[in-house]
Amino acid sequence: MATSTGTHRPVANPSTGPVATNYGALGTLVTVFFFWGFIAAGNSVFIPFCKHYFSLDQFQSQLVDFAFYTAYYIGALALFAYGAFGGKDLVAKWGYKRSIVYGLLFSALGAIAMIIAVNANTFAGMLFGLFVVALGFSLQQTAAQPFAISLGDPATGTSRVNLGGGINSFGTTIGPIVVALALFGTTAAITDDQIAELSLSKVIILYSFVGALFIGAAALFYFSKKVPSGISTEKTEKANKALYSLLIMTGLLIIMFVPVFNSYKIDPTTLSDVEKHDLETYRMKWLFGALAVIVVGLLVSNMSARKSPEGWGAMKYPQLVLGMLAIFIYVGVEVTIGSNLSELLRQPDFGGLEASEATKYVAMYWGSLMIGRWAGAVSAFNLSKNAKLLLQIIVPLIAFGVILGVNMAFGYDMQPLYYYIICVVIQIAAFYISKDKPARTLLIFSVLGVIAMIIGIMSTGTVAVYAFLSGGLLCSIMWPAIFSLSLAGLGKYTTQGSAFLVMMILGGGIIPPIQGKIADYLQTSSEVVGYGIHQSYWVAVICFAYLAFFAFAVRGILRSQGIDYDKQQEATEPVAANKDATLEP
């Protein structure tokens, strides 16, 4: 197997000096990052609305996440297939600017499809609309990260990536609040019966506004003279065997999902307890089959690639394949904790909150991601050791205050979340112990994730709620750590490996429905109210456990290839572990 001293990373030309940052283009670009966070986090509020309005069970409501995150996989796969067959990267052919414009316009078409589906009063049509919105996001995602790096000195590219990530996280913070206001029309608590009686006209207004924002951002990009085209003529590395493997996996996934989709039309209120149990068992078998397709398919592909590397491209590297599974699981656990949170908070042992009352907790969960990312961004700047340590303490506390302030400005009583600062302090300590080393950071935060989820499962009330909310703090820095470790040593395959990792955002569409299905299944065998949704969080425990395994195993894999990533990180300080970060949705 080919080895390398590290991931491919452009460097500044010393003869010409640092490249000036194109702040005009960067300011335009970060609006895209905001949309990703705003829309994705808004799904956490949109899910309970759809559940009550369309009388869905927990699994059916999670189809919102399935439609949204599956689109990332399909979009990235289509772009990779175009390059594999044509030998030309479509994004490179269009350029970063046009690719983002096309992606925004495609997302606007999704918003229009949502409005049409709402008028037709069809849940399936609304899922299709969300799917199209996310397809546009997939194209934007593929173009935005290298675009951000190209807008100035490559040595400071991480700072621009982290800026986009911070804006993305701000979108995740206010997204649930704005969507809740748009759907519920008030920050005051409303009952589930009132939610069921709400007019879908509110959804039309919401997505009319969202569609207008997409079109406006596309126009801003298109007419901005400060935004460069970003066109590239470089040939892509072909990997036909990898493509065929992914296409086979896609076909098997479709086979697994068709029976599940056909069952979503069944009204659970018309079924007896025995029939409900049988339905849950039927759905769960197919969903676990889909999970097996991903896990087994990737591992078998890597085994074949290591025996005969030609035609497999980046898939011959075990760190990438295990990293693909890690991204799949990471996105899945991040989304599933938040998406199932509203249902958990409805249970008597966890506050018995109405959907609108739960909004501030959902906002704090997604805001927790912002807290961690703001803290992680500190290491991207050239600071003294003491200054960095001080900012890693102060910045998370400021971010926590921002989240409280934003929610309070919208009229939410945040007093029940004041003591959540204890969890923030624990995260600050974890940052200090991790020493900016990606494998160590990922391991520490994953182990803490396992502990937090088990505490949540073994307790009730505020302690359990805080434990589950802290999942956001612990997920916050995982994306860049997994990306940098997965791409280490890939050399010329780095861009291709990055595309494979983006495909694995699919985890956000598979793991949440699995947890929802387990919740429904467990509830049918228990008379304890809320038992199913509470115990379903064992899914999150398993996810964090795999991420801990990846963090432990990948260090040995890289060392076997002659790469000591921790030593490389120390040699390049003060730039931190986020240096190879790719922006997430």
Side-chain angles (χ1 to χ4, degrees):
M1 181 181 294
T3 61
S4 171
T5 58
T7 60
H8 173 70
R9 187 178 302 116
V11 294
N13 187 339
S15 64
T16 60
V19 180
T21 299
N22 186 338
Y23 288 107
L26 183 61
T28 306
L29 180 62
V30 296
T31 60
V32 180
F33 305 155
F34 175 82
F35 287 143
W36 295 341
F38 179 87
I39 300 299
N43 286 347
S44 296
V45 177
F46 191 55
I47 285 171
F49 171 78
C50 289
K51 178 175 182 178
H52 290 94
Y53 190 93
F54 293 103
S55 299
L56 308 175
D57 61 23
Q58 188 62 14
F59 161 75
Q60 291 168 330
S61 70
Q62 296 302 305
L63 291 177
V64 170
D65 277 335
F66 176 85
F68 191 81
Y69 288 98
T70 300
Y72 277 95
Y73 175 83
I74 298 299
L77 178 61
L79 290 172
F80 171 64
Y82 181 92
F85 285 125
K88 183 68 178 178
D89 189 329
L90 188 59
V91 172
K93 178 181 177 180
W94 285 343
Y96 300 140
K97 180 177 180 177
R98 287 174 60 193
S99 295
I100 291 175
V101 169
Y102 293 157
L104 287 164
L105 292 177
F106 209 84
S107 293
L109 289 177
I112 294 172
M114 279 288 291
I115 294 170
I116 294 173
V118 169
N119 280 321
N121 200 18
T122 166
F123 180 60
M126 295 169 75
L127 293 179
F128 174 76
L130 283 173
F131 180 85
V132 176
V133 168
L135 273 180
F137 282 8
S138 178
L139 179 55
Q140 298 164 44
Q141 170 86 354
T142 304
Q145 188 266 347
F147 193 25
I149 293 177
S150 72
L151 293 177
D153 189 343
T156 59
T158 299
S159 300
R160 295 186 290 279
V161 170
N162 283 325
L163 174 62
I167 298 297
N168 174 274
S169 295
F170 184 67
T172 64
T173 301
I174 70 171
I177 299 171
V178 175
V179 173
L181 284 172
L183 295 181
F184 304 148
T186 178
T187 58
I190 59 176
T191 65
D192 291 339
D193 290 338
Q194 288 173 307
I195 292 174
E197 294 173 359
L198 286 174
S199 171
L200 285 179
S201 61
K202 291 183 177 293
V203 182
I204 294 177
I205 295 173
L206 172 64
Y207 277 92
S208 296
F209 177 71
V210 168
L213 285 177
F214 287 142
I215 295 173
L220 188 64
F221 262 91
Y222 182 78
F223 291 109
S224 176
K225 295 181 180 180
K226 295 182 179 180
V227 179
S229 63
I231 295 174
S232 173
T233 58
E234 185 178 355
K235 291 284 185 179
T236 58
E237 183 78 21
K238 289 189 176 181
N240 290 334
K241 290 182 180 178
L243 175 62
Y244 297 146
S245 175
L246 289 169
L247 290 176
I248 291 171
M249 287 169 56
T250 302
L252 292 174
L253 285 173
I254 292 172
I255 292 173
M256 297 295 171
F257 287 136
V258 166
V260 178
F261 285 158
N262 287 338
S263 71
Y264 102 89
K265 299 178 182 178
I266 300 174
D267 184 356
T269 62
T270 64
L271 303 178
S272 66
D273 290 343
V274 174
E275 289 173 330
K276 285 182 181 179
H277 190 274
D278 291 342
L279 177 62
E280 310 309 342
T281 303
Y282 172 81
R283 286 172 170 171
M284 198 154 55
K285 287 179 180 177
W286 288 106
L287 283 172
F288 275 108
L291 182 62
V293 166
I294 296 294
V295 175
V296 175
L298 289 177
L299 295 179
V300 169
S301 295
N302 181 250
M303 291 174 60
S304 300
R306 296 176 74 179
K307 292 179 181 178
S308 179
E310 186 178 355
W312 282 100
M315 268 195 173
K316 63 188 175 185
Y317 292 90
Q319 65 265 38
L320 176 69
V321 174
L322 292 179
M324 290 171 71
L325 284 175
I327 287 292
F328 177 89
I329 288 172
Y330 153 69
V331 177
V333 71
E334 176 188 289
V335 174
T336 198
I337 292 173
S339 294
N340 286 284
L341 189 59
S342 292
E343 180 64 17
L344 180 74
L345 294 171
R346 289 182 65 247
Q347 311 309 318
D349 286 342
F350 301 91
L353 305 180
E354 303 290 353
S356 62
E357 292 178 299
T359 297
K360 62 187 177 187
Y361 290 91
V362 175
M364 179 58 75
Y365 173 75
W366 291 107
S368 295
L369 294 167
M370 184 182 80
I371 293 172
R373 288 167 188 165
W374 282 19
V378 170
S379 298
F381 299 95
N382 190 4
L383 301 169
S384 67
K385 184 176 180 181
N386 291 336
K388 184 168 64 175
L389 176 61
L390 181 62
L391 286 177
Q392 283 184 334
I393 296 173
I394 295 175
V395 169
L397 298 177
I398 292 174
F400 179 64
V402 168
I403 297 166
L404 292 178
V406 169
N407 281 271
M408 290 167 67
F410 279 94
Y412 288 101
D413 176 15
M414 299 302 290
Q415 187 172 352
L417 287 164
Y418 286 169
Y419 290 104
Y420 186 64
I421 195 172
I422 296 173
C423 299
V424 177
V425 171
I426 293 173
Q427 186 202 47
I428 292 171
F431 267 120
Y432 177 76
I433 296 171
S434 67
K435 304 296 183 183
D436 290 334
K437 297 180 179 180
R440 179 189 292 184
T441 300
L442 184 60
L443 180 61
I444 290 172
F445 277 67
S446 298
V447 170
L448 287 175
V450 171
I451 294 172
M453 295 303 105
I454 291 178
I455 290 174
I457 292 170
M458 297 300 178
S459 60
T460 58
T462 301
V463 171
V465 172
Y466 279 15
F468 290 132
L469 287 178
S470 69
L473 292 170
L474 302 173
C475 284
S476 61
I477 50 75
M478 289 184 175
W479 177 277
I482 295 171
F483 250 85
S484 59
L485 293 167
S486 301
L487 297 179
L490 266 62
K492 65 180 180 180
Y493 297 101
T494 297
T495 300
Q496 191 179 94
S498 179
F500 289 153
L501 291 171
V502 170
M503 289 180 195
M504 292 298 103
I505 292 173
L506 174 68
I510 292 181
I511 292 179
I514 286 179
Q515 181 176 350
K517 183 46 48 207
I518 290 175
D520 291 335
Y521 180 84
L522 293 175
Q523 193 58 53
T524 60
S525 59
S526 175
E527 295 181 356
V528 179
V529 177
Y531 175 83
I533 188 65
H534 188 198
Q535 295 302 310
S536 71
Y537 273 87
W538 280 107
V539 170
V541 174
I542 296 171
C543 289
F544 280 121
Y546 173 78
L547 294 172
F549 162 77
F550 171 74
F552 178 81
V554 73
R555 184 183 299 177
I557 292 172
L558 293 177
R559 284 179 178 171
S560 70
Q561 298 173 18
I563 305 168
D564 192 330
Y565 203 86
D566 285 346
K567 286 186 177 180
Q568 289 183 31
Q569 293 299 107
E570 292 171 357
T572 57
E573 286 184 350
V575 178
N578 285 352
K579 66 172 67 178
D580 292 307
T582 299
L583 290 172
E584 65 179 301

